[in-house]
Amino acid sequence: MCGRLVNLLPNEAMARLFDAAPSNDLPVGERYNICPTNQIAVAVSAEGQRRLRPMRWGFLPHWYTAPNDGPLLINARAETIAEKPAFRDAVRQRRCLVAATGFYEWTKGTDGARLPWYIRPADGAPMVLAGIWQDWEAGGERLSCVALVTCAAGGGMEELHHRMPVILSEPDWPLWLGEAGHGAAVLMKPAPAGCLTWNRVGTEVNSNRASGAGLLEPLPA
């Protein structure tokens, strides 16, 4: 599961990270609480060139007649992605990379309250998540949209949640983007032990309107 992202990287840094040509309409500024349906920067590869494009986080199958015509598909499960009609063409032909500083996950308190955790790479480097995308069009409306690929939790994250986004290391980017041939399915696996760290943060982030650096402040142990 991955329902909120943090991305503090400037667009220029993401373009350098991916060696991609940036679009001029990318979201700007540090973003501490990226929610589904928000625009995110996505690296795609076509005709021998990588591009950094803005896309709506929330995948729209081709049969949707409007963006709200069905469930909001923000994640695609690695175990079934090649079989699901909504995702199977995209995972074969339209894979992408999504840079993030970290993401949030929630556990339940003894009283049932949603308790947020901020999860990030242990080495402080940006994380790069596996995604799938497509251009959707209906009723005169056109949107580029993306879903993040998720897998069973690993790297110790099992204690927080049973799912996690697929995190790709730099040597694997060409294979995921389709630049290095076939066989990208082997990349859809949990993160290795020790690569992530996490801490509790305040419940302010439970609101999709919350923003600012204070959302990442760790709560006292």
Side-chain angles (χ1 to χ4, degrees):
M1 180 67 176
C2 183
R4 303 279 183 86
L5 295 175
V6 176
N7 189 6
L8 309 182
L9 293 172
N11 291 329
E12 297 80 4
M14 283 190 285
R16 290 194 301 271
L17 179 70
F18 294 128
D19 191 21
S23 299
N24 59 12
D25 54 350
L26 294 168
V28 297
E30 296 181 337
R31 307 176 73 197
Y32 293 90
N33 189 15
I34 302 171
C35 303
T37 74
N38 289 168
Q39 293 282 305
I40 57 177
V42 170
V44 301
S45 181
E47 299 178 351
Q49 183 182 26
R50 292 181 184 177
R51 292 193 59 204
L52 194 62
R53 298 177 49 188
M55 293 192 187
R56 174 192 188 264
W57 184 15
F59 197 88
L60 300 175
H62 65 82
W63 60 82
Y64 278 25
T65 59
N68 59 354
D69 197 27
L72 184 61
L73 305 177
I74 63 172
N75 296 321
R77 294 175 65 94
E79 298 87 347
T80 58
I81 193 171
E83 306 162 8
K84 294 290 186 181
F87 303 132
R88 62 191 178 199
D89 288 343
V91 76
R92 292 174 187 144
Q93 305 173 36
R94 295 182 301 277
R95 298 187 295 271
C96 61
L97 304 173
V98 178
T101 306
F103 63 96
Y104 298 103
E105 193 51 82
W106 280 262
T107 57
K108 281 190 176 181
T110 55
D111 59 354
R114 297 180 73 230
L115 306 177
W117 296 76
Y118 177 51
I119 302 150
R120 60 205 181 278
D123 62 4
M127 65 171 60
V128 174
L129 311 179
I132 57 172
W133 69 278
Q134 72 177 6
D135 291 326
W136 170 89
E137 186 172 9
E141 187 173 9
R142 183 180 176 88
L143 290 171
S144 296
C145 53
V146 60
L148 301 180
V149 182
T150 66
C151 61
M157 236 199 83
E158 305 93 320
E159 63 189 71
L160 292 182
H161 200 274
H162 65 288
R163 305 290 296 176
M164 69 180 299
V166 171
I167 301 172
L168 300 175
S169 60
E170 186 171 359
D172 294 331
W173 299 350
L175 182 57
W176 184 253
L177 289 175
E179 300 166 342
H182 303 288
V186 301
L187 303 178
M188 294 188 286
K189 58 188 179 182
C195 73
L196 299 175
T197 187
W198 50 85
N199 57 263
R200 272 285 318 278
V201 292
T203 55
E204 293 82 3
V205 77
N206 291 0
S207 168
N208 59 14
R209 297 182 180 180
S211 187
L215 297 180
L216 305 186
E217 286 294 323
L219 292 183

